[in-house]
């Protein structure tokens, strides 16, 4: 089946710093890729997605590009705000076999932004 | 718009007890899923449904049961609760497999 790996450990940044959260995947076929965000005490919300190679998803200043050659979907933001503090999850939808239609999540990355 | 509604929000069970976590969506989505969220492990798929009457196992199905008699509802049953089932449970729905998944607010379950 699919697997998704995110960078280890929490990330702590100052406001207006540049953010990168790494995500790599292994999958059968060509999965769709997603970033979800979870604010404290809430469920997950879709942040952005990309459905094919070289697609760039973007939303609220966040971007991620589907890189088939490196099987990656890294999340970036040029200038983070305190309100971006949350847990970020990379996810992939299975494109074949027993993984078809099922979301697989990375372990999540806690982002804390200080003023 | 209600979206995906989960009940209860919090629950404490004793080992061996059974209970049902409720999930309802009002978006007429065919796809519904149950996940558990544990620290450092992301969300793991428990069970999955692609429509009324159709369910499938996910990554961690043992100890859980589901059925889907209507499009709107997808309850998750714990047959005999164990401390290893202490977790936060999320229900989600999608209109199709490549689209946005909408999540409920979660149920925090503690088994003592």
């Amino acid at each position: 089946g699919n697997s998704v790996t995110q960078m280890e450990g929490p990330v702590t940044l100052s406001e207006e710093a540049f953010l990168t959260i790494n995500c790599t995947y292994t999958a059968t076929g060509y999965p769709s890729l997603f970033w979800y965000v979870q604010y404290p005490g809430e469920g997950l919300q879709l942040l952005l997605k990309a459905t094919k190679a070289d697609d760039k998803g973007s939303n609220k200043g966040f971007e991620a590009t589907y890189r088939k050659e490196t099987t990656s979907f890294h999340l970036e933001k040029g200038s983070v705000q305190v309100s971006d503090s949350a847990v970020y999850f990379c996810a992939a939808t299975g494109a074949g076999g027993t993984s078809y239609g099922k979301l697989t999540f990375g372990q999540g990355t806690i982002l804390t932004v200080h003023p | 718009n209600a979206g995906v509604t989960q009940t209860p929000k919090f629950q404490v069970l004793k080992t061996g007890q059974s209970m049902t976590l409720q999930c309802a969506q009002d978006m007429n989505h065919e796809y519904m899923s149950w996940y558990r969220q544990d620290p450092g492990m992301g969300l793991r798929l428990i069970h999955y449904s692609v429509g009324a009457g159709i369910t499938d196992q996910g990554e961690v199905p043992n100890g859980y049961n589901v059925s889907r008699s209507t499009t709107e509802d997808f309850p998750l049953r714990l047959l005999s609760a164990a401390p290893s089932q202490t977790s936060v449970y999320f229900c989600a729905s999608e209109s199709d497999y490549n689209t946005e998944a909408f999540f409920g607010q979660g149920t925090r379950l503690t088994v003592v």
Side-chain angles (χ1 to χ4, degrees):
Chain A
N2 294 350
S3 69
V4 177
T5 303
Q6 290 180 231
M7 60 190 298
E8 303 258 346
V11 175
T12 302
L13 295 173
S14 298
E15 206 164 24
E16 299 183 4
F18 183 84
L19 168 70
T20 300
I21 302 177
N22 291 337
C23 172
T24 58
Y25 67 90
T26 59
T28 303
Y30 302 100
S32 293
L33 302 174
F34 305 83
W35 278 99
Y36 281 85
V37 60
Q38 183 181 31
Y39 298 103
E42 298 185 10
L44 280 70
Q45 308 171 23
L46 179 67
L47 181 59
L48 52 83
K49 73 173 193 178
T51 57
K52 61 183 187 295
D54 300 324
D55 265 3
K56 178 186 282 189
S58 62
N59 186 25
K60 299 180 182 179
F62 291 89
E63 293 183 340
T65 301
Y66 190 143
R67 301 285 188 203
K68 179 169 165 285
E69 63 277 10
T70 55
T71 62
S72 65
F73 193 54
H74 305 321
L75 182 69
E76 296 182 337
K77 186 174 185 182
S79 175
V80 294
Q81 306 300 312
V82 172
S83 57
D84 293 326
S85 297
V87 185
Y88 292 81
F89 293 93
C90 186
T93 296
T98 58
S99 298
Y100 184 84
K102 299 175 184 175
L103 268 174
T104 300
F105 286 88
Q107 64 267 48
T109 300
I110 301 171
L111 171 65
T112 304
V113 181
H114 293 299
Chain B
N1 290 337
V4 179
T5 303
Q6 287 183 239
T7 55
K9 287 189 169 44
F10 301 94
Q11 183 71 48
V12 178
L13 286 179
K14 293 183 178 177
T15 298
Q17 286 185 315
S18 63
M19 79 159 295
T20 299
L21 306 185
Q22 301 291 344
C23 175
Q25 53 94 5
D26 61 0
M27 296 172 283
N28 203 32
H29 287 170
E30 291 295 329
Y31 289 62
M32 295 187 75
S33 306
W34 276 102
Y35 299 88
R36 58 177 291 172
Q37 182 180 24
D38 301 295
M41 302 187 73
L43 276 74
R44 292 181 291 168
L45 182 65
I46 304 171
H47 282 290
Y48 179 80
S49 172
V50 298
I54 307 169
T55 62
D56 191 9
Q57 292 185 350
E59 183 184 353
V60 288
N62 291 341
Y64 307 95
N65 221 349
V66 292
S67 60
R68 183 107 178 262
S69 56
T70 67
T71 299
E72 296 78 19
D73 300 301
F74 192 43
L76 178 72
R77 297 181 189 84
L78 279 69
L79 308 172
S80 176
S84 60
Q85 293 179 303
T86 294
S87 187
V88 181
Y89 291 84
F90 287 99
C91 179
S93 73
E94 303 165 70
S95 59
D96 198 349
Y97 84 99
N98 245 355
T99 60
E100 177 179 0
F102 292 83
F103 285 81
Q105 298 245 330
T107 295
R108 184 173 294 275
L109 175 68
T110 302
V111 183
V112 297

